[in-house]
Amino acid sequence: MNSDLHHVICGVIYRHPHSNLDSFINYLDITINKINLENKYCIIMGDFKIDLLKFTSHSDTKFLHTLESYFFNPHILQPTRII
């Protein structure tokens, strides 16, 4: 078994669409910071219920800035469905 696998964290996150976005982002920041202090490779996947096409709104910008501050980049940039 590769010893590098012990230094990988994969996280799956679901945010309920009616939950407070600012609270979610603050909790995400605290969690990522703890992982960052452990110096481990981290992959975050999930359904954040955030429309990244509206990234100019305050909360959406804060979400992207939080991820970017830890060198995370979104890989899915288009909506999976349009309502």
Side-chain angles (χ1 to χ4, degrees), residues 7-25:
H7 301 285
V8 176
I9 294 177
C10 292
V12 179
I13 300 171
Y14 173 80
R15 184 182 78 83
H16 190 276
H18 300 296
S19 66
N20 182 282
L21 184 56
D22 285 328
S23 295
F24 169 76
I25 293 169

Side-chain angles (χ1 to χ4, degrees), residues 25-70:
I25 293 169
N26 288 334
Y27 183 78
L28 182 65
D29 184 36
I30 291 167
T31 303
I32 294 174
N33 187 50
K34 288 179 183 180
I35 294 168
N36 188 49
L37 292 173
E38 293 182 19
N39 199 28
K40 294 186 178 185
Y41 185 80
C42 181
I43 299 168
I44 299 175
M45 302 164 281
D47 189 350
F48 305 111
K49 301 289 187 208
I50 297 173
D51 186 352
L52 295 179
L53 295 176
K54 298 177 182 176
F55 67 91
T56 56
S57 72
H58 170 71
S59 295
D60 296 343
T61 300
K62 187 176 177 184
F63 173 75
L64 289 174
H65 285 257
T66 299
L67 292 179
E68 290 171 352
S69 69
Y70 296 101

